[in-house]
Short mmCIF file of all heavy atoms in Angstrom, two decimals:
data_model
loop_
_atom_site.label_atom_id
_atom_site.label_comp_id
_atom_site.label_asym_id
_atom_site.label_seq_id
_atom_site.Cartn_x
_atom_site.Cartn_y
_atom_site.Cartn_z
N GLY A 1097 5.48 -5.22 -19.92
CA GLY A 1097 5.00 -4.59 -18.68
C GLY A 1097 4.30 -5.59 -17.78
O GLY A 1097 4.27 -5.41 -16.57
N HIS A 1098 3.74 -6.64 -18.37
CA HIS A 1098 3.19 -7.71 -17.55
C HIS A 1098 4.34 -8.60 -17.08
O HIS A 1098 5.44 -8.55 -17.62
CB HIS A 1098 2.19 -8.56 -18.35
CG HIS A 1098 0.82 -7.95 -18.44
ND1 HIS A 1098 -0.28 -8.65 -18.86
CD2 HIS A 1098 0.39 -6.71 -18.14
CE1 HIS A 1098 -1.34 -7.86 -18.82
NE2 HIS A 1098 -0.97 -6.68 -18.39
N SER A 1099 4.06 -9.39 -16.06
CA SER A 1099 5.07 -10.34 -15.59
C SER A 1099 4.88 -11.67 -16.31
O SER A 1099 3.83 -11.91 -16.93
CB SER A 1099 4.94 -10.54 -14.09
OG SER A 1099 3.72 -11.17 -13.79
N GLU A 1102 1.79 -13.20 -15.01
CA GLU A 1102 0.54 -12.67 -15.60
C GLU A 1102 0.32 -13.22 -17.01
O GLU A 1102 -0.82 -13.52 -17.39
CB GLU A 1102 0.56 -11.14 -15.59
CG GLU A 1102 0.37 -10.59 -14.18
CD GLU A 1102 0.69 -9.10 -14.05
OE1 GLU A 1102 1.52 -8.58 -14.83
OE2 GLU A 1102 0.13 -8.47 -13.15
N ARG A 1105 -1.05 -16.71 -16.49
CA ARG A 1105 -2.44 -16.68 -16.01
C ARG A 1105 -3.39 -16.27 -17.14
O ARG A 1105 -4.44 -16.88 -17.33
CB ARG A 1105 -2.51 -15.66 -14.87
CG ARG A 1105 -3.82 -15.62 -14.13
CD ARG A 1105 -3.82 -14.48 -13.13
NE ARG A 1105 -3.74 -13.19 -13.83
CZ ARG A 1105 -3.40 -12.05 -13.24
NH1 ARG A 1105 -3.08 -12.01 -11.98
NH2 ARG A 1105 -3.37 -10.93 -13.93
N ASN A 1106 -3.02 -15.24 -17.90
CA ASN A 1106 -3.91 -14.72 -18.94
C ASN A 1106 -4.05 -15.68 -20.11
O ASN A 1106 -4.94 -15.53 -20.93
CB ASN A 1106 -3.42 -13.36 -19.42
CG ASN A 1106 -3.60 -12.30 -18.35
OD1 ASN A 1106 -4.26 -12.53 -17.35
ND2 ASN A 1106 -2.97 -11.15 -18.54
N ASN A 1107 -3.13 -16.63 -20.22
CA ASN A 1107 -3.17 -17.55 -21.35
C ASN A 1107 -3.45 -18.99 -20.93
O ASN A 1107 -3.26 -19.91 -21.72
CB ASN A 1107 -1.86 -17.46 -22.14
CG ASN A 1107 -1.74 -16.12 -22.87
OD1 ASN A 1107 -2.33 -15.92 -23.91
ND2 ASN A 1107 -1.00 -15.20 -22.28
N ILE A 1112 0.72 -22.72 -12.71
CA ILE A 1112 1.18 -21.49 -12.07
C ILE A 1112 0.02 -21.02 -11.20
O ILE A 1112 -1.02 -20.62 -11.71
CB ILE A 1112 1.50 -20.39 -13.12
CG1 ILE A 1112 2.53 -20.89 -14.14
CG2 ILE A 1112 1.97 -19.11 -12.44
CD1 ILE A 1112 3.95 -20.91 -13.67
N VAL A 1113 0.16 -21.08 -9.88
CA VAL A 1113 -0.96 -20.80 -8.99
C VAL A 1113 -1.07 -19.30 -8.67
O VAL A 1113 -2.12 -18.69 -8.80
CB VAL A 1113 -0.85 -21.62 -7.69
CG1 VAL A 1113 -2.00 -21.28 -6.75
CG2 VAL A 1113 -0.87 -23.11 -8.01
N GLU A 1115 -0.98 -17.50 -5.81
CA GLU A 1115 -1.98 -17.25 -4.77
C GLU A 1115 -2.02 -15.77 -4.35
O GLU A 1115 -3.08 -15.22 -4.15
CB GLU A 1115 -1.66 -18.13 -3.56
CG GLU A 1115 -2.86 -18.50 -2.75
CD GLU A 1115 -2.55 -19.60 -1.73
OE1 GLU A 1115 -2.27 -20.74 -2.15
OE2 GLU A 1115 -2.61 -19.30 -0.54
N CYS A 1116 -0.86 -15.15 -4.23
CA CYS A 1116 -0.83 -13.76 -3.74
C CYS A 1116 -0.96 -12.75 -4.87
O CYS A 1116 -0.93 -11.55 -4.63
CB CYS A 1116 0.42 -13.49 -2.91
SG CYS A 1116 1.94 -13.32 -3.87
N GLY A 1117 -1.12 -13.23 -6.10
CA GLY A 1117 -1.41 -12.33 -7.20
C GLY A 1117 -0.24 -11.51 -7.70
O GLY A 1117 -0.42 -10.51 -8.38
N GLY A 1118 0.96 -11.88 -7.32
CA GLY A 1118 2.13 -11.18 -7.85
C GLY A 1118 2.83 -10.28 -6.85
O GLY A 1118 3.65 -9.44 -7.22
N ALA A 1119 2.54 -10.45 -5.58
CA ALA A 1119 3.13 -9.61 -4.54
C ALA A 1119 4.43 -10.21 -3.97
O ALA A 1119 5.00 -9.66 -3.04
CB ALA A 1119 2.13 -9.39 -3.41
N ALA A 1120 4.87 -11.32 -4.54
CA ALA A 1120 6.06 -12.02 -4.03
C ALA A 1120 5.91 -12.36 -2.55
O ALA A 1120 6.75 -12.02 -1.73
CB ALA A 1120 7.34 -11.22 -4.26
N MET A 1121 4.80 -12.99 -2.21
CA MET A 1121 4.53 -13.34 -0.82
C MET A 1121 4.36 -14.84 -0.63
O MET A 1121 4.40 -15.33 0.49
CB MET A 1121 3.26 -12.64 -0.33
CG MET A 1121 3.36 -11.13 -0.26
SD MET A 1121 4.27 -10.58 1.21
CE MET A 1121 4.07 -8.81 1.07
N CYS A 1122 4.06 -15.59 -1.71
CA CYS A 1122 3.60 -16.96 -1.50
C CYS A 1122 4.45 -18.04 -2.17
O CYS A 1122 4.36 -19.20 -1.80
CB CYS A 1122 2.16 -17.10 -1.99
SG CYS A 1122 1.96 -17.01 -3.77
N ASP A 1142 16.70 -9.98 -2.65
CA ASP A 1142 16.99 -10.87 -1.52
C ASP A 1142 15.72 -11.55 -1.03
O ASP A 1142 15.72 -12.71 -0.65
CB ASP A 1142 17.60 -10.07 -0.35
CG ASP A 1142 19.01 -9.61 -0.67
OD1 ASP A 1142 19.59 -10.13 -1.66
OD2 ASP A 1142 19.52 -8.73 0.04
N PHE A 1143 14.62 -10.78 -1.04
CA PHE A 1143 13.34 -11.31 -0.55
C PHE A 1143 12.91 -12.52 -1.39
O PHE A 1143 12.55 -13.57 -0.86
CB PHE A 1143 12.28 -10.20 -0.61
CG PHE A 1143 11.07 -10.47 0.26
CD1 PHE A 1143 10.99 -9.97 1.55
CD2 PHE A 1143 10.01 -11.22 -0.21
CE1 PHE A 1143 9.89 -10.20 2.35
CE2 PHE A 1143 8.89 -11.46 0.59
CZ PHE A 1143 8.84 -10.95 1.87
N GLU A 1144 12.98 -12.35 -2.72
CA GLU A 1144 12.62 -13.46 -3.61
C GLU A 1144 13.56 -14.65 -3.38
O GLU A 1144 13.12 -15.80 -3.31
CB GLU A 1144 12.69 -13.01 -5.07
CG GLU A 1144 12.33 -14.14 -6.04
CD GLU A 1144 12.56 -13.79 -7.51
OE1 GLU A 1144 12.79 -12.61 -7.80
OE2 GLU A 1144 12.53 -14.71 -8.34
N GLU A 1146 15.08 -15.57 -0.74
CA GLU A 1146 14.75 -16.31 0.49
C GLU A 1146 13.43 -17.06 0.36
O GLU A 1146 13.28 -18.17 0.85
CB GLU A 1146 14.69 -15.34 1.67
CG GLU A 1146 16.07 -14.81 2.02
CD GLU A 1146 16.00 -13.76 3.09
OE1 GLU A 1146 15.04 -13.77 3.87
OE2 GLU A 1146 16.92 -12.92 3.14
N LEU A 1147 12.47 -16.42 -0.31
CA LEU A 1147 11.16 -17.06 -0.46
C LEU A 1147 11.26 -18.32 -1.33
O LEU A 1147 10.50 -19.27 -1.15
CB LEU A 1147 10.18 -16.05 -1.07
CG LEU A 1147 8.68 -16.29 -0.87
CD1 LEU A 1147 8.35 -16.59 0.59
CD2 LEU A 1147 7.91 -15.06 -1.33
N LEU A 1148 12.20 -18.32 -2.25
CA LEU A 1148 12.38 -19.48 -3.13
C LEU A 1148 12.78 -20.73 -2.34
O LEU A 1148 12.65 -21.85 -2.84
CB LEU A 1148 13.43 -19.18 -4.19
CG LEU A 1148 12.92 -18.42 -5.43
CD1 LEU A 1148 14.07 -17.87 -6.25
CD2 LEU A 1148 12.03 -19.32 -6.29
N GLU A 1149 13.24 -20.53 -1.11
CA GLU A 1149 13.57 -21.69 -0.27
C GLU A 1149 12.30 -22.43 0.16
O GLU A 1149 12.37 -23.53 0.70
CB GLU A 1149 14.35 -21.25 0.97
CG GLU A 1149 15.73 -20.72 0.67
CD GLU A 1149 16.64 -21.75 0.02
OE1 GLU A 1149 16.56 -22.93 0.38
OE2 GLU A 1149 17.43 -21.36 -0.87
N GLY A 1150 11.14 -21.82 -0.07
CA GLY A 1150 9.90 -22.44 0.38
C GLY A 1150 9.03 -22.94 -0.76
O GLY A 1150 7.84 -23.13 -0.58
N THR A 1151 9.61 -23.18 -1.92
CA THR A 1151 8.81 -23.64 -3.06
C THR A 1151 8.36 -25.09 -2.85
O THR A 1151 9.02 -25.85 -2.16
CB THR A 1151 9.62 -23.56 -4.37
OG1 THR A 1151 10.86 -24.24 -4.17
CG2 THR A 1151 9.88 -22.12 -4.76
N GLN A 1164 8.04 -12.06 -10.60
CA GLN A 1164 9.12 -11.09 -10.43
C GLN A 1164 9.95 -10.92 -11.72
O GLN A 1164 11.04 -10.35 -11.69
CB GLN A 1164 10.02 -11.48 -9.26
CG GLN A 1164 9.29 -11.51 -7.92
CD GLN A 1164 8.68 -10.17 -7.56
OE1 GLN A 1164 9.37 -9.17 -7.41
NE2 GLN A 1164 7.35 -10.13 -7.47
N TYR A 1183 2.93 -26.67 -4.37
CA TYR A 1183 2.71 -26.80 -2.93
C TYR A 1183 3.60 -27.87 -2.33
O TYR A 1183 4.02 -28.78 -3.01
CB TYR A 1183 1.24 -27.12 -2.64
CG TYR A 1183 0.31 -25.98 -2.98
CD1 TYR A 1183 -0.47 -26.02 -4.13
CD2 TYR A 1183 0.24 -24.85 -2.16
CE1 TYR A 1183 -1.31 -24.97 -4.45
CE2 TYR A 1183 -0.60 -23.80 -2.48
CZ TYR A 1183 -1.38 -23.86 -3.62
OH TYR A 1183 -2.21 -22.84 -3.93
N GLN B 602 -8.86 -9.79 -8.21
CA GLN B 602 -8.19 -9.82 -6.91
C GLN B 602 -8.55 -8.58 -6.11
O GLN B 602 -8.43 -7.47 -6.62
CB GLN B 602 -6.68 -9.77 -7.09
CG GLN B 602 -6.08 -10.75 -8.05
CD GLN B 602 -4.63 -10.43 -8.27
OE1 GLN B 602 -3.85 -10.26 -7.32
NE2 GLN B 602 -4.24 -10.30 -9.52
N ASP B 618 -6.62 -4.96 -16.06
CA ASP B 618 -6.40 -6.31 -16.61
C ASP B 618 -5.41 -7.11 -15.75
O ASP B 618 -5.37 -8.32 -15.83
CB ASP B 618 -5.98 -6.26 -18.09
CG ASP B 618 -4.62 -5.63 -18.28
OD1 ASP B 618 -4.12 -4.98 -17.35
OD2 ASP B 618 -4.04 -5.80 -19.38
N GLN B 619 -4.64 -6.42 -14.92
CA GLN B 619 -3.72 -7.14 -14.04
C GLN B 619 -4.42 -7.63 -12.77
O GLN B 619 -3.89 -8.46 -12.04
CB GLN B 619 -2.52 -6.25 -13.67
CG GLN B 619 -1.62 -6.01 -14.87
CD GLN B 619 -0.53 -5.02 -14.57
OE1 GLN B 619 -0.78 -3.84 -14.37
NE2 GLN B 619 0.71 -5.49 -14.51
N LEU B 621 -7.59 -8.88 -12.93
CA LEU B 621 -8.50 -9.98 -13.28
C LEU B 621 -7.85 -11.32 -13.00
O LEU B 621 -6.69 -11.55 -13.36
CB LEU B 621 -8.89 -9.90 -14.76
CG LEU B 621 -9.67 -8.65 -15.18
CD1 LEU B 621 -9.97 -8.69 -16.67
CD2 LEU B 621 -10.95 -8.50 -14.36
N LEU B 622 -8.61 -12.22 -12.38
CA LEU B 622 -8.06 -13.53 -12.05
C LEU B 622 -7.90 -14.40 -13.30
O LEU B 622 -7.02 -15.26 -13.35
CB LEU B 622 -8.96 -14.23 -11.02
CG LEU B 622 -8.85 -13.62 -9.62
CD1 LEU B 622 -10.02 -14.05 -8.75
CD2 LEU B 622 -7.53 -14.02 -8.95
N ARG B 623 -8.74 -14.19 -14.29
CA ARG B 623 -8.63 -14.87 -15.58
C ARG B 623 -9.15 -13.93 -16.66
O ARG B 623 -10.05 -13.12 -16.38
CB ARG B 623 -9.48 -16.16 -15.63
CG ARG B 623 -9.01 -17.30 -14.75
CD ARG B 623 -7.72 -17.95 -15.26
NE ARG B 623 -7.37 -19.11 -14.46
CZ ARG B 623 -6.78 -19.08 -13.25
NH1 ARG B 623 -6.50 -17.92 -12.72
NH2 ARG B 623 -6.49 -20.19 -12.63
N PRO B 624 -8.64 -14.04 -17.88
CA PRO B 624 -9.19 -13.21 -18.96
C PRO B 624 -10.54 -13.78 -19.42
O PRO B 624 -10.89 -14.91 -19.08
CB PRO B 624 -8.14 -13.34 -20.06
CG PRO B 624 -7.51 -14.67 -19.82
CD PRO B 624 -7.56 -14.91 -18.34
N GLU B 626 -11.49 -15.03 -22.16
CA GLU B 626 -11.40 -16.27 -22.94
C GLU B 626 -11.51 -17.50 -22.04
O GLU B 626 -12.00 -18.54 -22.45
CB GLU B 626 -10.09 -16.35 -23.73
CG GLU B 626 -9.90 -15.27 -24.78
CD GLU B 626 -9.49 -13.94 -24.17
OE1 GLU B 626 -8.61 -13.93 -23.28
OE2 GLU B 626 -10.06 -12.90 -24.57
N VAL B 853 -7.39 -14.74 0.97
CA VAL B 853 -7.35 -15.32 -0.37
C VAL B 853 -7.05 -16.82 -0.29
O VAL B 853 -7.72 -17.64 -0.92
CB VAL B 853 -6.27 -14.61 -1.22
CG1 VAL B 853 -6.05 -15.37 -2.53
CG2 VAL B 853 -6.68 -13.18 -1.51
N GLY B 854 -6.05 -17.16 0.52
CA GLY B 854 -5.65 -18.56 0.62
C GLY B 854 -6.80 -19.45 1.06
O GLY B 854 -7.00 -20.54 0.52
N ILE B 857 -9.40 -19.91 -1.78
CA ILE B 857 -8.92 -20.87 -2.78
C ILE B 857 -9.06 -22.30 -2.25
O ILE B 857 -9.63 -23.18 -2.90
CB ILE B 857 -7.45 -20.59 -3.16
CG1 ILE B 857 -7.32 -19.23 -3.85
CG2 ILE B 857 -6.91 -21.71 -4.06
CD1 ILE B 857 -5.88 -18.80 -4.10
N ARG B 877 -5.16 -23.87 6.54
CA ARG B 877 -3.75 -23.50 6.68
C ARG B 877 -3.68 -21.98 6.56
O ARG B 877 -3.24 -21.44 5.55
CB ARG B 877 -2.90 -24.14 5.59
CG ARG B 877 -2.79 -25.66 5.69
CD ARG B 877 -2.04 -26.20 4.50
NE ARG B 877 -0.60 -25.94 4.58
CZ ARG B 877 0.19 -25.83 3.51
NH1 ARG B 877 -0.30 -25.93 2.30
NH2 ARG B 877 1.47 -25.61 3.67
N TRP B 879 -2.93 -18.27 6.24
CA TRP B 879 -1.78 -17.38 6.03
C TRP B 879 -2.28 -16.08 5.42
O TRP B 879 -3.32 -16.04 4.77
CB TRP B 879 -0.69 -18.05 5.20
CG TRP B 879 -0.89 -18.00 3.72
CD1 TRP B 879 -1.69 -18.81 2.98
CD2 TRP B 879 -0.30 -17.08 2.79
NE1 TRP B 879 -1.63 -18.46 1.66
CE2 TRP B 879 -0.78 -17.40 1.51
CE3 TRP B 879 0.61 -16.02 2.93
CZ2 TRP B 879 -0.39 -16.70 0.36
CZ3 TRP B 879 1.00 -15.32 1.79
CH2 TRP B 879 0.50 -15.67 0.52
N TRP B 881 -0.96 -11.75 4.24
CA TRP B 881 0.17 -10.85 4.02
C TRP B 881 -0.29 -9.41 4.01
O TRP B 881 -1.45 -9.12 3.79
CB TRP B 881 0.90 -11.18 2.71
CG TRP B 881 0.21 -10.71 1.46
CD1 TRP B 881 0.38 -9.51 0.83
CD2 TRP B 881 -0.77 -11.42 0.67
NE1 TRP B 881 -0.43 -9.44 -0.29
CE2 TRP B 881 -1.14 -10.59 -0.41
CE3 TRP B 881 -1.36 -12.68 0.77
CZ2 TRP B 881 -2.06 -10.98 -1.38
CZ3 TRP B 881 -2.29 -13.06 -0.19
CH2 TRP B 881 -2.62 -12.22 -1.25
N THR B 882 0.64 -8.51 4.27
CA THR B 882 0.36 -7.08 4.15
C THR B 882 1.64 -6.39 3.71
O THR B 882 2.74 -6.91 3.91
CB THR B 882 -0.16 -6.49 5.48
OG1 THR B 882 -0.52 -5.11 5.26
CG2 THR B 882 0.88 -6.56 6.58
N GLU B 883 1.46 -5.23 3.09
CA GLU B 883 2.62 -4.45 2.67
C GLU B 883 2.31 -2.99 2.93
O GLU B 883 1.27 -2.49 2.51
CB GLU B 883 2.89 -4.69 1.18
CG GLU B 883 4.21 -4.09 0.73
CD GLU B 883 4.66 -4.58 -0.64
OE1 GLU B 883 3.94 -5.40 -1.26
OE2 GLU B 883 5.70 -4.11 -1.10
N ARG B 888 7.22 -5.55 4.27
CA ARG B 888 6.36 -6.68 3.93
C ARG B 888 6.22 -7.60 5.13
O ARG B 888 7.20 -7.98 5.75
CB ARG B 888 6.98 -7.45 2.78
CG ARG B 888 7.32 -6.54 1.61
CD ARG B 888 8.53 -7.06 0.88
NE ARG B 888 8.17 -8.21 0.10
CZ ARG B 888 7.77 -8.15 -1.15
NH1 ARG B 888 7.69 -6.99 -1.76
NH2 ARG B 888 7.45 -9.23 -1.81
N MET B 889 4.98 -7.94 5.45
CA MET B 889 4.79 -8.89 6.53
C MET B 889 3.99 -10.09 6.01
O MET B 889 2.96 -9.93 5.37
CB MET B 889 4.07 -8.28 7.72
CG MET B 889 3.84 -9.32 8.84
SD MET B 889 3.55 -8.62 10.46
CE MET B 889 1.87 -8.04 10.25
N GLN B 890 4.52 -11.28 6.29
CA GLN B 890 3.82 -12.52 6.01
C GLN B 890 3.44 -13.14 7.35
O GLN B 890 4.24 -13.13 8.29
CB GLN B 890 4.73 -13.48 5.25
CG GLN B 890 5.18 -12.97 3.88
CD GLN B 890 6.45 -13.66 3.44
OE1 GLN B 890 7.51 -13.49 4.03
NE2 GLN B 890 6.36 -14.46 2.39
N ARG B 911 15.12 -7.48 9.84
CA ARG B 911 14.14 -8.57 9.84
C ARG B 911 13.69 -8.83 11.26
O ARG B 911 14.51 -9.00 12.15
CB ARG B 911 14.80 -9.86 9.36
CG ARG B 911 15.44 -9.75 8.06
CD ARG B 911 16.73 -10.57 8.09
NE ARG B 911 17.27 -10.63 6.77
CZ ARG B 911 16.86 -11.50 5.87
NH1 ARG B 911 15.98 -12.41 6.18
NH2 ARG B 911 17.33 -11.46 4.67
N ASN B 929 9.57 -8.53 6.91
CA ASN B 929 10.73 -8.52 5.99
C ASN B 929 11.58 -9.77 6.18
O ASN B 929 12.80 -9.71 6.03
CB ASN B 929 11.60 -7.27 6.20
CG ASN B 929 10.95 -6.03 5.63
OD1 ASN B 929 10.19 -6.11 4.67
ND2 ASN B 929 11.25 -4.89 6.22
N ASP B 930 10.97 -10.87 6.51
CA ASP B 930 11.73 -12.06 6.89
C ASP B 930 11.08 -13.35 6.37
O ASP B 930 10.47 -14.10 7.13
CB ASP B 930 11.87 -12.10 8.41
CG ASP B 930 12.96 -13.06 8.86
OD1 ASP B 930 13.44 -13.86 8.02
OD2 ASP B 930 13.33 -13.02 10.05
N PRO B 931 11.24 -13.62 5.06
CA PRO B 931 10.64 -14.84 4.50
C PRO B 931 11.14 -16.11 5.18
O PRO B 931 10.41 -17.09 5.26
CB PRO B 931 11.08 -14.82 3.03
CG PRO B 931 11.51 -13.44 2.75
CD PRO B 931 11.95 -12.83 4.05
N GLN B 932 12.38 -16.08 5.68
CA GLN B 932 12.91 -17.28 6.34
C GLN B 932 12.10 -17.63 7.58
O GLN B 932 11.83 -18.80 7.85
CB GLN B 932 14.38 -17.08 6.73
CG GLN B 932 15.30 -17.01 5.52
CD GLN B 932 16.74 -16.69 5.90
OE1 GLN B 932 17.06 -16.55 7.08
NE2 GLN B 932 17.58 -16.58 4.90
N PHE B 934 8.95 -16.78 8.07
CA PHE B 934 7.64 -17.22 7.58
C PHE B 934 7.69 -18.69 7.18
O PHE B 934 6.85 -19.50 7.58
CB PHE B 934 7.23 -16.35 6.39
CG PHE B 934 6.01 -16.83 5.64
CD1 PHE B 934 4.75 -16.78 6.22
CD2 PHE B 934 6.13 -17.32 4.35
CE1 PHE B 934 3.63 -17.21 5.52
CE2 PHE B 934 5.01 -17.75 3.64
CZ PHE B 934 3.76 -17.69 4.23
N LEU B 935 8.70 -19.05 6.41
CA LEU B 935 8.80 -20.43 5.92
C LEU B 935 9.07 -21.41 7.06
O LEU B 935 8.49 -22.50 7.09
CB LEU B 935 9.91 -20.54 4.86
CG LEU B 935 9.65 -19.77 3.56
CD1 LEU B 935 10.88 -19.78 2.68
CD2 LEU B 935 8.44 -20.33 2.81
N ARG B 938 5.83 -21.86 8.95
CA ARG B 938 4.89 -22.69 8.19
C ARG B 938 5.26 -24.17 8.27
O ARG B 938 4.42 -25.03 8.48
CB ARG B 938 4.88 -22.23 6.73
CG ARG B 938 3.75 -22.84 5.91
CD ARG B 938 3.65 -22.23 4.55
NE ARG B 938 4.78 -22.61 3.70
CZ ARG B 938 4.92 -22.22 2.43
NH1 ARG B 938 4.04 -21.40 1.89
NH2 ARG B 938 5.95 -22.61 1.72
#
Side-chain angles (χ1 to χ4, degrees):
Chain A
H1098 279 194
S1099 66
E1102 287 167 333
R1105 188 186 64 197
N1106 291 348
N1107 291 281
I1112 305 282
V1113 178
E1115 209 168 293
C1116 75
M1121 294 282 185
C1122 70
D1142 290 346
F1143 199 94
E1144 180 188 348
E1146 291 175 25
L1147 201 49
L1148 277 166
E1149 293 298 323
T1151 53
Q1164 298 300 299
Y1183 292 104
Chain B
Q602 309 171 51
D618 66 345
Q619 291 174 291
L621 297 179
L622 287 163
R623 291 289 185 282
E626 297 78 44
V853 170
I857 295 173
R877 293 175 74 207
W879 83 280
W881 77 91
T882 185
E883 189 167 0
R888 308 149 74 91
M889 179 160 74
Q890 297 158 293
R911 305 142 172 277
N929 286 331
D930 196 348
Q932 291 175 1
F934 170 69
L935 294 172
R938 191 172 70 179

